[in-house]
Amino acid sequence: VQLQASGGGLVQAGGSLRLSCAISGSGFSIDTMRWYRQAPGKQRELVAAITSGGLTNYADSVKGRFTIARDNDKNTVCLQMNSLKPEDTAVYYCNALGKYYGGRPFGSWGQGTLVTVSS
């Protein structure tokens, strides 16, 4: 299972970015997809998550501004980020939890994509 994140960049405060994460491979099913972020000098934190059934949850700091969505047919997950703030600056990582056919669970990470929000 491989995850490839994209869509990061530099944006001014108040702007928007859309992150995407494509999951490749075969012989597995994905349960929960998540986006995490890690700012310089800080611990990695959960930003948003979405289950296979479409249930979502968000960090309080991004509620109302970020939206997570997934395409189960394409095995992709996106994070639409609006009204960005300088404190959203971080490396964003996608994460997938699932099972291989046969039942063995896995958790995989993408390589991270940098989001920089200027004031």
Side-chain angles (χ1 to χ4, degrees), residues 15-34:
S16 299
L17 280 176
R18 183 178 178 85
L19 306 183
S20 296
C21 180
I23 303 168
S24 60
S26 61
F28 60 86
S29 61
I30 301 292
D31 182 12
T32 302
M33 296 183 180
R34 299 169 176 165

Side-chain angles (χ1 to χ4, degrees), residues 3-116:
L3 280 65
Q4 180 71 42
S6 61
L10 173 63
V11 64
Q12 288 188 332
S16 299
L17 280 176
R18 183 178 178 85
L19 306 183
S20 296
C21 180
I23 303 168
S24 60
S26 61
F28 60 86
S29 61
I30 301 292
D31 182 12
T32 302
M33 296 183 180
R34 299 169 176 165
W35 284 97
Y36 285 78
R37 67 185 180 188
Q38 187 166 19
K42 295 187 177 181
Q43 289 187 331
R44 191 171 296 189
E45 63 173 349
L46 177 64
V47 175
I50 185 167
T51 68
S52 57
L55 295 176
T56 60
N57 71 281
Y58 298 91
D60 287 343
S61 58
V62 307
K63 282 181 181 176
R65 300 189 297 122
F66 291 10
T67 302
I68 189 170
R70 65 188 283 172
D71 185 326
N72 291 328
D73 291 334
K74 297 180 179 179
N75 275 344
T76 58
V77 60
C78 294
L79 185 69
Q80 178 67 41
M81 304 185 294
N82 299 327
S83 302
L84 283 161
K85 304 176 181 179
E87 51 263 44
D88 294 319
T89 295
V91 177
Y92 284 70
Y93 299 89
C94 56
N95 168 264
L97 302 177
K99 290 185 176 63
Y100 292 104
Y101 298 159
R104 182 164 63 92
F106 69 84
S108 294
W109 292 89
Q111 84 284 10
T113 184
L114 177 62
V115 172
T116 304

